[in-house]
């Protein structure tokens, strides 16, 4: 149980940093471009994907992505294209972190 909590917290911190970096790279002023806003965005994204995973909904990953894009739109005040660009940036930054973090931990 403790390992699951630690994994969640580490994942949330890494994702929060990735969201914050993506918001800084994305041109324009988003509503929640601050670090707390980035961590809120990362937490909501994690909860969305967790709910779809737990419920075993058919095509759950695709639906979770659409719900997360909608959440990004609302939280950051961007359009669908802006949410998609942010999502891709977050994915790429997380992938880059994934290359280095296992060797650091």
């Amino acid at each position: 149980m403790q390992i699951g909590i630690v994994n969640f917290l580490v994942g949330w911190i890494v994702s929060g940093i990735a969201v914050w970096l993506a918001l800084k790279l994305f041109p324009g002023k988003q509503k929640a471009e601050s670090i707390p806003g980035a961590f809120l965005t990362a937490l909501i994204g994690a909860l969305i994907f967790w709910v779809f995973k737990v419920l075993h909904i058919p095509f759950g990953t695709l639906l979770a992505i659409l719900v997360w894009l909608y959440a990004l739109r609302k939280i950051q005040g961007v359009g669908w294209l802006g949410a998609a660009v942010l999502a891709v940036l977050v994915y790429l930054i997380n992938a880059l972190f994934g290359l280095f973090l296992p060797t650091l931990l």
Side-chain angles (χ1 to χ4, degrees):
M1 172 95 170
Q2 288 179 348
I3 293 174
I5 293 170
V6 171
N7 284 343
F8 172 78
L9 289 175
V10 170
W12 181 35
I13 290 168
V14 171
S15 291
I17 293 169
V19 170
W20 181 74
L21 288 172
L23 289 169
K24 292 298 181 187
L25 291 172
F26 189 74
K29 281 284 188 194
Q30 288 64 254
K31 285 183 184 176
E33 195 171 321
S34 64
I35 288 184
F39 275 82
L40 174 67
T41 303
L43 180 61
I44 290 173
L47 290 173
I48 288 169
F49 281 93
W50 178 77
V51 166
F52 278 87
K53 182 178 179 181
V54 168
L55 295 177
H56 300 292
I57 296 174
F59 304 103
T61 301
L62 180 61
L63 292 172
I65 290 170
L66 292 174
V67 172
W68 190 54
L69 289 176
Y70 179 78
L72 277 173
R73 285 185 63 230
K74 293 300 179 181
I75 296 168
Q76 299 300 335
V78 296
W80 283 104
L81 182 60
V85 170
L86 281 173
V88 169
L89 284 172
V90 169
Y91 176 79
L92 292 173
I93 293 168
N94 270 326
L96 187 63
F97 285 164
L99 292 175
F100 298 107
L101 280 180
T103 59
L104 294 176
L105 299 174

